[in-house]
Amino acid sequence: MKAQDCLQLLRDVRDCTFATVDENGFPQARIIDVMVVENGSLYFCTSRGKDFHEQLVRTGRVAIAGLNASWQTVRLSGPVRRVADQKAWIDRIFAENPSMNNVYPGDSRYILDAFCIDSGQMEFFDLGQEPIYRERVPFGDEPARERGFVITEDCTACGTCAEGCPQHCIEEGDIYRIQPEHCLHCGHCFEECPFEAIERL
């Protein structure tokens, strides 16, 4: 899976959850349209009077999640920036998303600011297949960071982890191995291992 494919999935979903943190450190989430995706970047807009705008400017970060009809989701988290040449970008956003003209008719569109995210952490997660499939996707300048669990050399090959795995994604061996692409990150193996041979990444 390439970064552009993941971004395009978010564009195809269009109405995605965007999350920020408010001035008290509390999480805030809302549905925002993904307006443009091109050249490994995602663009969206919001009006300058909204709390969302203030949080974007103050923290410089956003998290995005979208789910399509095939139970495939993309999660994206990273730095966000207000783009240069605001008028041109707002005009382009309205040209590619004509329904916006009904919400902000005429020149009222220019109360909106356009933002871009072009790097960060991204993950593709497919619940529509068995076993599930997940993949960390490098995005922009940031390499993908591994998450989940790993079985260490303290493993005795007792099989307890494999027996309880809901996705049956643990391979037998002298040291058992978790298949990260099929792991739910549920932590069942981590909690059940009698030898504490499993570590959280």
Side-chain angles (χ1 to χ4, degrees):
M1 180 67 68
K2 295 180 180 178
Q4 185 67 25
D5 298 326
C6 290
L7 295 175
Q8 189 60 50
L9 185 149
L10 292 174
R11 170 60 177 162
D12 293 342
V13 170
R14 183 170 173 168
D15 300 316
C16 296
T17 300
F18 283 61
T20 52
V21 176
D22 69 16
E23 67 276 11
N24 297 310
F26 297 135
Q28 302 293 329
R30 77 284 291 161
I31 302 299
I32 297 290
D33 286 352
V34 174
M35 298 296 189
V36 176
V37 163
E38 70 175 12
N39 300 325
S41 299
L42 180 152
Y43 297 85
F44 63 96
C45 64
T46 190
S47 62
R48 291 187 291 279
K50 293 185 181 290
D51 290 343
F52 180 41
H53 186 284
E54 185 276 330
Q55 291 157 14
L56 290 170
V57 172
R58 178 172 45 80
T59 68
R61 298 194 68 83
V62 69
I64 306 169
L67 172 71
N68 67 16
S70 299
W71 298 100
Q72 297 172 325
T73 186
V74 168
R75 295 189 307 153
L76 166 60
S77 176
V80 63
R81 61 180 172 84
R82 186 176 176 273
V83 301
D85 200 356
Q86 280 289 316
K87 186 176 185 297
W89 266 104
I90 293 300
D91 287 344
R92 178 177 173 187
I93 284 171
F94 273 64
E96 295 193 24
N97 302 272
S99 64
M100 290 292 292
N101 288 287
N102 298 325
V103 183
Y104 291 96
D107 286 349
S108 69
R109 69 175 62 179
Y110 300 119
I111 192 61
L112 298 163
D113 277 350
F115 290 86
C116 173
I117 179 169
D118 54 16
S119 67
Q121 296 297 311
M122 190 154 49
E123 181 182 59
F124 172 76
F125 190 48
D126 189 348
L127 280 167
Q129 67 176 53
E130 293 184 7
I132 62 94
Y133 178 80
R134 77 186 319 140
E135 181 181 351
R136 293 277 173 179
V137 180
F139 180 43
D141 296 332
E142 292 195 31
R145 297 177 191 159
E146 293 304 317
R147 293 289 188 267
F149 299 87
V150 63
I151 300 174
T152 70
E153 293 183 357
D154 293 331
C155 175
T156 66
C158 71
T160 301
C161 58
E163 291 171 7
C165 177
Q167 287 294 305
H168 309 290
C169 69
I170 300 179
E171 299 175 342
E172 296 181 4
D174 293 337
I175 296 176
Y176 277 44
R177 176 186 171 272
I178 299 170
Q179 298 172 307
E181 69 274 19
H182 301 305
C183 178
L184 284 169
H185 298 179
C186 70
H188 187 276
C189 59
F190 177 75
E191 291 189 2
E192 294 298 316
C193 177
F195 300 99
E196 299 183 350
I198 300 177
E199 295 180 351
R200 186 190 299 269
L201 293 172

